[in-house]
Amino acid sequence: MSRYDRYVLSQFLLFFGFFALILVAVFWINRAVVLFDRLIGDGQSALVFLEFTALALPNLIRMVLPMAVFAAAAYVTNRLQNDSEITVMQATGTSPWRLARAPLVFGILTALMMSALTHFLLPASVSQLARREAEVARSVSARLLSDGTFLHPAPGVTFYIGRIDPDSTLNDVYLSDRRDPAQTVTYTASRAFLVRDGAQANLIMVDGMAQRQDNANRTLSTTLFSDFAYDISPLISKTETRGRSIRAIPTAELLTARASIAETERHSAGQLSEELHLRFSRALVCIAVAMIGFSTLMLGGFSRFGVWRQALLAFVIVILLEVLRGVVSEPVLRDPDLWPLMYLPTIAGLALAALFLQFASRPLSVLLRRRGPARKAAA
């Protein structure tokens, strides 16, 4: 690569990192607010929250990376035009095809980044996230053992612990069960213990009182007890044993063992084919959006009014490519033999970029002016 290409490529990579950081931060904040409310509200620590957000980052980066590629390509190209650097290069006889070398290398580099993300990092993070979610869901302490806080582990149930001793003894326990519309039962106990019996979890309350309110007759009955066992298994969220998420399946398995995966993981052949080729097409589309961001802005020369029309056209094209990706997914889900359709957005994007570069090399206005004298001479 020439010195100019290395300079332009460095600009692409610099602003790609900037836009990727901004987009990831914006999307991460929106997701983190919901995740923070769910985990911290369930009694989880801040470390668990940070772990879950870190495991969710690869999927988040996968979503925003093509947008960052397009934004960097369009911004740097516009900047080079405003600084007349592209104009100087064209004045020396450099064609738009030659200038497209740097954005092409930039697209290939980002495609390699996307490949590493979709083929290795994302399946590993999704698999680990599923395991951690199952562990948190099965954890009684995460759902119930939080002192000094009124918890709502299930609709119609309120649970409170005044203090938890180092030996896991629960003090000043309050449990209100309003799930039955006909009656409300409230338990209070000076002490309580959590005891597991296989899949069943019991709350053993000691020296307490049960108040049963009949809502229809408006009567209240009170029972004192020395010890009482309350089954809290329904209050603990359970996760059914399911197959792996399709995104957690490594690419190597999708390539070599799709038949066995479809049988054991309950995914259809169309879903597996769509997921496999989507991982490759998402990487290749980075090349397409990089070339679209560059070639579309090359359609117009230097103008004091900027290149907002070309930038708008490039943005619309990228949106249409994403819409096309959603359209071609449906036939592949129905018939896995139609997997080549998954690469149609990439092919269409590269074809448009090549067309725009051709127009930039020989603008349509120049071609029309050349054809005009030729027709007059023929007449």
Side-chain angles (χ1 to χ4, degrees):
M1 296 180 65
S2 65
R3 181 178 298 179
Y4 173 80
D5 291 331
R6 291 195 297 270
Y7 161 71
V8 175
L9 180 60
S10 66
Q11 294 296 303
F12 279 133
L13 294 175
L14 173 65
F15 285 99
F16 164 72
F18 171 76
F19 286 118
L21 180 62
I22 295 298
L23 291 173
V24 168
V26 170
F27 282 86
W28 178 83
I29 289 174
N30 292 331
R31 177 177 174 79
V33 169
V34 178
L35 195 61
F36 182 86
D37 181 68
R38 179 166 65 88
L39 291 176
I40 302 300
D42 284 347
Q44 297 295 334
S45 64
L47 290 178
V48 175
F49 164 72
L50 292 177
E51 180 185 2
F52 272 60
T53 53
L55 291 174
L57 275 179
N59 185 47
L60 189 60
I61 297 173
R62 176 188 63 88
M63 295 170 54
V64 305
L65 196 143
M67 292 186 285
V69 172
F70 169 75
Y75 180 82
V76 172
T77 305
N78 181 46
R79 184 179 179 181
L80 293 175
Q81 286 186 333
N82 290 338
D83 293 344
S84 301
E85 294 180 70
I86 289 181
T87 304
V88 171
M89 292 298 297
Q90 289 179 319
T92 61
T94 306
S95 68
W97 289 98
R98 174 61 183 80
L99 295 175
R101 181 183 297 179
L104 178 61
V105 174
F106 169 62
I108 293 174
L109 291 178
T110 53
L112 293 176
M113 297 179 194
M114 178 66 86
S115 297
L117 191 66
T118 56
H119 295 304
F120 303 104
L121 295 180
L122 183 61
S125 66
V126 172
S127 179
Q128 178 64 20
L129 184 60
R131 285 194 294 267
R132 291 294 290 122
E133 286 178 343
E135 292 173 3
V136 169
R138 290 193 301 264
S139 174
V140 179
S141 61
R143 299 286 295 175
L144 298 176
L145 297 187
S146 179
D147 56 351
T149 304
F150 284 93
L151 302 176
H152 306 278
V157 177
T158 302
F159 188 68
Y160 176 84
I161 302 172
R163 188 182 76 259
I164 302 177
D165 292 340
D167 60 355
S168 299
T169 301
L170 313 181
N171 298 277
D172 302 327
V173 175
Y174 170 86
L175 176 62
S176 176
D177 189 346
R178 304 176 303 280
R179 290 175 293 177
D180 188 353
Q183 64 180 2
T184 300
V185 184
T186 302
Y187 302 93
T188 56
S190 59
R191 292 178 299 152
F193 306 91
L194 280 175
V195 178
R196 274 195 174 274
D197 183 12
Q200 184 176 358
N202 294 313
L203 179 67
I204 308 299
M205 291 178 280
V206 179
D207 297 333
M209 178 177 61
Q211 295 178 322
R212 189 180 306 272
Q213 177 182 341
D214 191 330
N215 297 326
N217 300 324
R218 295 179 179 274
T219 60
L220 178 66
S221 60
T222 302
T223 303
L224 298 177
F225 57 82
S226 58
D227 58 82
F228 179 78
Y230 183 87
D231 184 12
I232 62 172
S233 300
L235 307 184
I236 305 171
S237 59
K238 299 178 181 179
T239 54
E240 300 178 358
T241 303
R242 300 178 180 176
R244 290 175 295 175
S245 168
I246 194 169
R247 291 182 179 173
I249 302 175
T251 302
E253 287 189 43
L254 291 176
L255 286 170
T256 59
R258 265 184 287 177
S260 61
I261 293 174
E263 182 179 352
T264 59
E265 307 286 350
R266 300 180 182 178
H267 298 300
S268 66
Q271 290 175 321
L272 295 175
S273 180
E274 191 260 353
E275 174 65 21
L276 173 62
H277 295 285
L278 181 61
R279 295 181 184 183
F280 289 100
S281 62
R282 276 192 177 275
L284 294 175
V285 83
C286 292
I287 304 176
V289 297
M291 295 304 298
I292 287 174
F294 172 79
S295 61
T296 308
L297 268 68
M298 290 293 294
L299 289 175
F302 175 79
S303 173
R304 289 179 299 172
F305 300 101
V307 291
W308 64 268
R309 288 175 296 183
Q310 291 86 349
L312 179 61
L313 175 62
F315 180 75
V316 170
I317 291 174
V318 172
I319 295 297
L320 291 178
L321 291 181
E322 183 62 22
V323 172
L324 181 60
R325 186 195 65 79
V327 171
V328 299
S329 293
E330 291 299 326
V332 178
L333 290 174
R334 293 192 298 266
D335 184 0
D337 293 333
L338 298 178
W339 61 264
L341 291 177
M342 297 299 300
Y343 302 94
L344 185 59
T346 300
I347 296 174
L350 292 176
L352 285 174
L355 183 64
F356 292 161
L357 286 176
Q358 184 62 32
F359 283 159
S361 301
R362 304 181 66 182
L364 187 60
S365 58
V366 175
L367 294 177
L368 292 177
R369 284 199 300 267
R370 289 182 177 178
R371 291 180 181 179
R375 289 178 180 175
K376 291 181 181 179

